[in-house]
Amino acid sequence: MSAAIGYAAKSAKAKLVPFHFERREPGAHDVAIHIEYCGVCHSDVHQVRNDWKNSLYPCVPGHEIVGRVTAVGEHVTRYKVGDLVGVGCMVDSCQHCASCAEGEEQYCENGMLATYNGPFKPDGTNTYGGYSDHLVVTEKFVLSVPTSLGHRLQGVAPLLCAGVTTYSPLKHWKVGPGQKVAVVGLGGLGHVAVKLAVALGAEVTVITSSLGKEDRAREIGAHDVIYSKNPAAMLKHAEKFDFILSTIPVKHDVNPYVELLKRDGHIVLVGVLEQLASGTNNMLVASKRRSVAGSFIGSIAETQEVLDFCGKHGITADVELIDIKNINQAFGDVEKGKVPYRFVIDMATLAAVKK
């Protein structure tokens, strides 16, 4: 075992504080990684606060991880010391169920192993995430970061979650040229989704409840912006879109967005992992053969694919780099919706905690 340090919450109401723990030494198929940057995902806040009623404590969050390889096991073939790599939402899965066999580890029928808030099987040991100095991960769940993105690593970190979470449904529903696409929300997931959909060739509209985001939406490629609190503006765009990606992270009414879909259109919810504020009106769905669907993160193959896609198109997330000592303030800002895009922790600031 090797000594590690990170920031952890020890209960749902506790602040994140320095936490000393141990990581396993790299096994034959493992990669050890020194963490340079870690994104702050809204899921981190939900998990720490036990909003999903499944949190394990102490909880060391973080699943948008970028760093350098420091050691590899004897059977590792894809990575060497010094390589620039990433780790996303998963660090293992059963590898033998139908979903895993089809390369869809995120839907593992025996439960994929989350980067934090595991637990490991069969002993139930908790997993600790990227708000820490280093990580040990089995080779298959490590991602290569394109060298073309090496100059902006802090903007790469959110691609490991926000990137693949939005790319996976765009790919699955075959979003591309000639399609009219709407992205609901321009936060951490939403702004990445806009960049990806534009790069895929779609005509992209941002739907936002914030009047002040129109200029930024257009700067990153949006063709139009709809203010969702304006009923007339929403009505004007009824039956316009082939595909809508909703990144709203809290309970909300999906029906106003369903009405914006064309016949045979799809709305996919990736931001909310709980019951909606009201039921879906099936008259709106059935009368135009629309569909309301969900999507959960993305596979390892899709995560590598989105990193390569972003490397080709020069896409990174818009971030605000923070010192880890300010993580509790950052969590508060996330809860209040005060984050313009994505906080990313400069893990070099953890060195001051070690002293």
Side-chain angles (χ1 to χ4, degrees), residues 63-87:
H63 57 206
E64 296 181 341
I65 300 164
V66 173
R68 298 270 178 184
V69 174
T70 58
V72 297
E74 60 182 311
H75 295 316
V76 171
T77 59
R78 293 168 49 204
Y79 302 102
K80 64 183 185 302
V81 172
D83 282 352
L84 185 58
V85 296
V87 176

Side-chain angles (χ1 to χ4, degrees), residues 119-191:
F120 278 114
K121 296 176 181 179
D123 64 358
T125 305
N126 197 2
T127 53
Y128 297 128
Y131 293 13
S132 57
D133 59 351
H134 75 282
L135 193 66
V136 179
V137 183
T138 187
E139 178 183 23
K140 185 173 181 179
F141 286 77
V142 178
L143 292 311
S144 296
V145 174
T147 56
S148 60
L149 299 178
H151 66 292
R152 188 169 161 73
L153 292 184
Q154 61 265 48
V156 173
L159 301 180
L160 278 302
C161 174
V164 72
T165 297
T166 54
Y167 179 81
S168 182
L170 292 171
K171 177 189 174 185
H172 182 80
W173 276 274
K174 298 178 173 61
V175 167
Q179 290 188 309
K180 295 183 185 299
V181 171
V183 175
V184 186
L186 197 65
L189 271 69
H191 87 282

Side-chain angles (χ1 to χ4, degrees), residues 135-314:
L135 193 66
V136 179
V137 183
T138 187
E139 178 183 23
K140 185 173 181 179
F141 286 77
V142 178
L143 292 311
S144 296
V145 174
T147 56
S148 60
L149 299 178
H151 66 292
R152 188 169 161 73
L153 292 184
Q154 61 265 48
V156 173
L159 301 180
L160 278 302
C161 174
V164 72
T165 297
T166 54
Y167 179 81
S168 182
L170 292 171
K171 177 189 174 185
H172 182 80
W173 276 274
K174 298 178 173 61
V175 167
Q179 290 188 309
K180 295 183 185 299
V181 171
V183 175
V184 186
L186 197 65
L189 271 69
H191 87 282
V192 175
V194 171
K195 293 183 180 187
L196 293 173
V198 169
L200 287 166
E203 179 183 307
V204 182
T205 295
V206 168
I207 303 175
T208 177
S209 60
S210 301
L211 283 172
K213 291 189 175 181
E214 180 171 354
D215 288 346
R216 184 56 185 150
R218 295 186 186 279
E219 286 175 6
I220 62 174
H223 300 83
D224 198 4
V225 180
I226 303 170
Y227 181 49
S228 61
K229 293 182 179 180
N230 183 337
M234 294 286 281
L235 181 63
K236 179 181 176 181
H237 292 85
E239 300 183 39
K240 176 179 178 179
F241 298 104
D242 300 287
F243 182 88
I244 298 175
L245 188 68
S246 175
T247 69
I248 300 172
V250 294
K251 291 181 179 181
H252 62 282
D253 184 359
V254 73
N255 293 297
Y257 305 104
V258 173
E259 293 185 88
L260 304 183
L261 289 170
K262 294 179 180 178
R263 172 177 52 82
D264 291 326
H266 309 279
I267 181 168
V268 180
L269 313 181
V270 295
V272 60
L273 295 177
E274 57 185 322
Q275 290 186 347
L276 295 172
S278 59
T280 303
N281 181 344
N282 198 50
M283 177 59 78
L284 297 177
V285 175
S287 63
K288 295 292 181 180
R289 203 162 57 196
R290 298 156 166 151
S291 66
V292 178
S295 181
F296 184 62
I297 56 175
S299 68
I300 292 300
E302 286 174 326
T303 309
Q304 188 61 63
E305 189 174 323
V306 74
L307 286 170
D308 294 342
F309 182 84
C310 289
K312 179 180 178 180
H313 293 274

